[in-house]
């Protein structure tokens, strides 16, 4: 199993350009997440999807859109990139939590995005 | 609102010294807490969760509801422990809120 995969690994954009970050998981997980990681701020949730066909905003959704294409894939789109979106983006997935417990979130390797 | 606080951005120790990475939380419900670790050039991975009461790589963490803390401890640090450590709190069943992270540097 590859786990959670992300493409691309690195990307440089100019202000105003658009791009889509791809994420896929092969663990049959229901929930998927997009985070951004910034120095001194930890990981912040951008969007998440509890199941195929559903998406919800997280803590910092402005400037982003997402698509849960199917159970495996969850993409993040920047329609008009801004320098403030320079960050490392992580995708993660999670199984349905079992009764009385919480399952582990599995993370992808990250995409390092620079917006000039 | 839920919150996770890691007061130290950087913790530097020598090999063999004890380590304690601090984590405090604020949450109105019953907390489920985790420690995640990110080694250099690797993805974030779960280190341990309070509900399991386990010791992983010599690390332990005890949930103290009275002090709302979940500090990560290891009696004898190793160089390979150098990494970024994040404390996280589960809320609304399927989401996590992370602290800002503590970078642990273990010198030889």
């Amino acid at each position: 199993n590859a786990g959670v995969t992300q493409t691309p690994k690195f990307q440089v954009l100019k202000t105003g350009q658009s791009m889509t970050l791809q994420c896929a998981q092969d663990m049959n997980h229901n929930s998927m997440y997009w985070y951004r990681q910034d120095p001194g701020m930890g990981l912040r949730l951008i969007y998440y999807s509890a199941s195929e066909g559903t998406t919800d905003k997280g803590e910092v959704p402005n400037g982003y859109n997402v698509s849960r294409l199917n159970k495996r894939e969850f993409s993040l789109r920047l329609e008009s990139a801004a320098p403030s979106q320079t960050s490392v983006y992580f995708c993660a997935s999670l199984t349905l939590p079992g009764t009385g417990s919480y399952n582990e979130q599995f993370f992808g390797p990250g995409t390092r995005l620079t917006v000039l | 609102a839920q919150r996770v606080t890691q007061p130290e951005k950087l913790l530097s120790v020598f090999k063999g010294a004890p380590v304690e990475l601090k984590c405090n939380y604020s949450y109105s419900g019953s907390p489920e807490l985790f420690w995640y670790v990110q080694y250099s050039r690797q993805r974030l991975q779960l280190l341990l969760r309070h509900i399991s009461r386990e010791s992983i790589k010599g690390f332990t963490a005890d949930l103290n509801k009275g002090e709302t803390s979940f500090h990560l401890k290891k009696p004898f640090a190793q160089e390979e422990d150098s990494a970024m450590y994040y404390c996280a709190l589960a809320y609304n069943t399927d989401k996590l809120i992370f602290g800002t992270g503590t970078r642990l540097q273990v010198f030889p």
Side-chain angles (χ1 to χ4, degrees), chain B residues 13-106:
Chain B
V13 300
F14 287 101
K15 177 182 173 181
V19 168
E20 182 179 51
L21 286 77
K22 291 184 169 51
C23 172
N24 289 88
Y25 68 91
S26 173
Y27 186 56
S28 57
S30 181
E32 293 201 52
L33 287 145
F34 307 81
W35 277 98
Y36 278 79
V37 62
Q38 187 177 28
Y39 300 103
S40 180
R41 301 185 185 279
Q42 294 187 28
R43 65 186 70 193
L44 208 67
Q45 58 187 285
L46 180 67
L47 180 62
L48 55 81
R49 68 194 86 187
H50 92 270
I51 202 167
S52 301
R53 295 181 173 273
E54 57 200 346
S55 174
I56 303 294
K57 299 184 178 182
F59 284 98
T60 58
D62 291 318
L63 178 61
N64 186 322
K65 291 186 178 180
E67 296 183 357
T68 60
S69 68
F70 187 56
H71 302 329
L72 183 68
K73 300 178 183 179
K74 185 170 183 177
F76 307 103
Q78 302 300 315
E79 289 179 70
E80 55 265 29
D81 296 328
S82 295
M84 194 75 177
Y85 291 81
Y86 290 98
C87 183
L89 168 72
Y91 69 100
N92 290 358
T93 304
D94 61 352
K95 291 191 285 294
L96 291 173
I97 184 166
F98 287 85
T100 52
T102 298
R103 180 168 299 282
L104 174 64
Q105 290 183 332
V106 181

Side-chain angles (χ1 to χ4, degrees), chain A residues 85-103:
Chain A
Q85 294 178 304
T86 294
S87 187
V88 181
Y89 291 86
F90 287 98
C91 178
S93 69
L94 173 80
T95 58
L96 274 175
T99 302
S101 66
Y102 189 94
N103 288 329

